[in-house]
Amino acid sequence: MAPPKGGYAPGLDKFLDTLKGRQIEASVQSLVALLKRRHIKGSEDCAIATAHILLQVVARDKWTNIDQLIIRVRSVGSRLVMAQPRELVIGNIVRRVLGLIRDEALEDRNDPGSDSISDLNEVTPSPVRAVDPGSPVGKMFRPPALNLLGNFSRTQSMFQLLSDPDHVPPASPQFGSGASTPLVNAQSANMYAFRTEVIEGIEEIMDEIKQVDEQIQAYSDIIIHPGDYILIHQPTRTVQKFITKAASKRRFTVFLSIDPTQASAQEDPYASFRKSVTSHGSAVVNIMNTGLMAYMTRVNKVIISARAITGKGEVVVDSGAAVIARAARELGRTVVVLGGVYKVSPGSHELETLVEWGDPSKHVNFSDGAMVGRVKVRNAVSEFIPAKFVDTYLTNLGAHSRDHLHGIINDHYKEEDINFNLAGKIER
């Protein structure tokens, strides 16, 4: 196979750029391949990619009733989950969208509204990402002012204007001649309005994902106190923003636990983070994860970023964090886990299957010929922390204990979607 031209590097941004010019099925297949090959990886990127592809399914797919939409979303969701089952956020986003569809389906769209036609015309439309104007959605009933598929307005009066035959222009070919059955117009208008609400709900989920870091860092001055000794392990962007925000208001010491292979690298991956923290007067001390017990007695809090959080409180983390959490537990130190609500995953999981194994060559390479032939080396990329080792779960909704996680799950997922069937069997 010839190498890609033009320096093409598969990833989230490239995938989102291709959505406009592709058929939905081709986009789904592309995302499945990218997830399998780990070209799209990480909780946030996987969640955003899943939300975008489900947005396309809702906006452009050919469905005429709610049951068809639920079946289609579950079918696409099953393929994405099976492509990368260790990324629990994929299933979380699918469940969120299914719950959104069910909520919108329960709303009564026939209550009399008080908005006028002038109010409808004054609504400022919000564009929908990567939606093809030539799709079936663009041919559905809509006011003349809304002549683009990406332009949707959030107003209940739309349902009345579209479903009431008195408001249908008899000479308009788009709305019929006026002799058509009013019930057909009402049903089509309601489906268009339903589609619009679901699309805007998915966009709100995507906005929530993007705002998680800023919302979590707002709690930094509550968790971190002046003079604290904070231990972090290979900090993600969420942890880095959290620590930097706290450092802008108070001084403390950060023990940065890094992998020995990163320490030998020529480029420091945390140079900008270290500079941001020290510029405000706090200190950053590098320690190797092999010798962290020597520093644990000085530590006040351990802060770890979650890849995913199960309903029972177990946390999927980057490799090496579990040892730190266990050591902190033995010495009675506080362990705080950071993660957005979209990472809290309902249902039961076999934790051993969530451990991801990577390339062992950074520990043993083929130059050690005799060893390679006789030793099996496993390099864990991710692992899990038992719930008993975690004191606080800090999400974009605030701090929670293990017992409060079920409340988050009940608020964000429907009971019928919690046991999402990965085998592909569709159950309504």
Side-chain angles (χ1 to χ4, degrees):
M1 180 177 178
K5 296 181 180 180
Y8 180 86
L12 177 62
D13 293 336
K14 292 289 185 181
F15 168 72
L16 297 182
D17 289 341
T18 63
L19 288 178
K20 293 181 180 180
R22 278 183 178 173
Q23 297 294 325
I24 297 177
E25 185 58 29
S27 296
V28 173
Q29 293 177 357
S30 173
L31 180 55
V32 167
L34 292 172
L35 291 172
K36 284 183 177 180
R37 299 169 184 170
R38 303 302 277 154
H39 290 155
I40 294 181
K41 60 182 179 179
S43 301
E44 183 175 345
D45 285 357
C46 289
I48 291 177
T50 303
H52 270 279
I53 199 67
L54 295 182
L55 176 67
Q56 297 299 303
V57 170
V58 173
R60 298 171 55 192
D61 221 354
K62 296 181 180 180
W63 52 271
T64 58
N65 58 62
I66 297 170
D67 284 337
Q68 289 180 0
L69 178 59
I70 289 179
I71 290 174
R72 177 60 170 157
V73 169
R74 298 195 72 169
S75 174
V76 172
S78 293
R79 294 167 63 184
L80 299 180
V81 170
M82 287 188 289
Q84 194 49 249
R86 293 187 179 92
E87 293 287 1
L88 299 183
V89 295
I90 298 175
N92 294 348
I93 299 302
V94 176
R95 295 184 183 97
R96 290 280 295 272
V97 173
L98 288 170
L100 173 65
I101 294 172
R102 298 183 194 277
D103 283 339
E104 293 297 335
L106 292 176
E107 287 191 5
D108 185 1
R109 303 185 182 280
N110 296 316
D111 290 340
S114 59
D115 293 338
S116 63
I117 296 179
S118 60
D119 292 334
L120 178 63
N121 293 333
E122 291 173 1
V123 174
T124 301
S126 59
V128 175
R129 302 171 181 83
V131 177
D132 185 6
S135 66
V137 185
K139 302 176 183 178
M140 300 190 69
F141 296 98
R142 68 193 66 190
L146 302 180
N147 55 2
L148 295 176
L149 171 64
N151 296 337
F152 296 104
S153 58
R154 197 163 185 167
T155 171
Q156 291 294 331
S157 64
M158 183 188 298
F159 308 145
Q160 319 310 323
L161 295 173
L162 294 176
S163 61
D164 188 348
D166 293 338
H167 291 288
V168 178
S172 172
Q174 184 176 358
F175 289 92
S177 62
S180 60
T181 305
L183 180 59
V184 173
N185 287 342
Q187 290 175 345
S188 299
N190 283 339
M191 281 296 99
Y192 167 70
F194 174 81
R195 190 189 301 252
T196 300
E197 293 296 322
V198 174
I199 287 173
E200 291 192 349
I202 297 176
E203 288 184 322
E204 290 177 0
I205 293 175
M206 291 190 287
D207 290 339
E208 173 192 324
I209 296 171
K210 295 176 182 178
Q211 295 170 7
V212 161
D213 289 349
E214 285 68 25
Q215 292 172 342
I216 288 180
Q217 72 181 17
Y219 300 97
S220 60
D221 55 347
I222 300 175
I223 300 298
I224 299 177
H225 303 146
D228 275 352
Y229 287 84
I230 308 297
L231 175 60
I232 58 178
H233 171 68
Q234 295 177 198
T236 62
R237 185 182 62 187
T238 302
V239 173
Q240 291 182 32
K241 287 186 175 182
F242 185 83
I243 298 295
T244 303
K245 180 68 173 181
S248 66
K249 297 182 178 181
R250 53 200 53 175
R251 296 182 180 181
F252 50 89
T253 301
V254 178
F255 291 138
L256 176 57
S257 173
I258 59 177
D259 189 277
T261 57
Q262 289 183 331
S264 59
Q266 294 181 354
E267 183 178 353
D268 183 4
Y270 306 112
S272 60
F273 165 68
R274 185 180 292 103
K275 181 178 180 180
S276 299
V277 174
T278 56
S279 64
H280 295 287
S282 296
V284 179
V285 179
N286 280 2
I287 63 174
M288 298 299 161
N289 57 7
T290 54
L292 61 91
M293 285 302 295
Y295 298 87
M296 189 61 73
T297 55
R298 297 288 303 276
V299 171
N300 301 109
K301 298 180 182 71
V302 174
I303 298 178
I304 299 172
S305 180
R307 289 189 171 199
I309 303 171
T310 71
K312 295 181 180 179
E314 298 97 350
V315 184
V316 182
V317 294
D318 291 334
S319 176
V323 175
I324 295 175
R326 183 181 295 273
R329 176 73 174 184
E330 293 296 328
L331 295 179
R333 302 301 187 256
T334 300
V335 176
V336 181
V337 170
L338 308 185
V341 166
Y342 73 95
K343 295 184 180 182
V344 180
S345 181
S348 57
H349 306 277
E350 296 181 7
L351 297 178
E352 288 75 12
T353 64
L354 301 180
V355 177
E356 182 178 358
W357 301 98
D359 182 11
S361 61
K362 71 175 186 177
H363 299 291
V364 176
N365 55 49
F366 283 100
S367 62
D368 303 318
M371 181 178 293
V372 169
R374 295 174 174 81
V375 177
K376 183 177 181 179
V377 179
R378 305 186 74 183
N379 173 34
V381 176
S382 65
E383 55 190 2
F384 64 89
I385 299 176
K388 63 181 180 180
F389 295 160
V390 180
D391 297 284
T392 302
Y393 303 86
L394 186 60
T395 71
N396 47 307
L397 298 181
H400 310 273
S401 66
R402 185 194 325 167
D403 297 332
H404 291 160
L405 293 178
H406 73 277
I408 295 178
I409 292 174
N410 292 337
D411 290 341
H412 291 81
Y413 304 100
K414 297 296 182 183
E415 184 177 355
E416 51 265 55
D417 299 321
I418 287 181
N419 295 319
F420 185 62
N421 194 327
L422 305 184
K425 181 180 179 181
I426 305 303
E427 297 177 358
R428 177 71 163 87

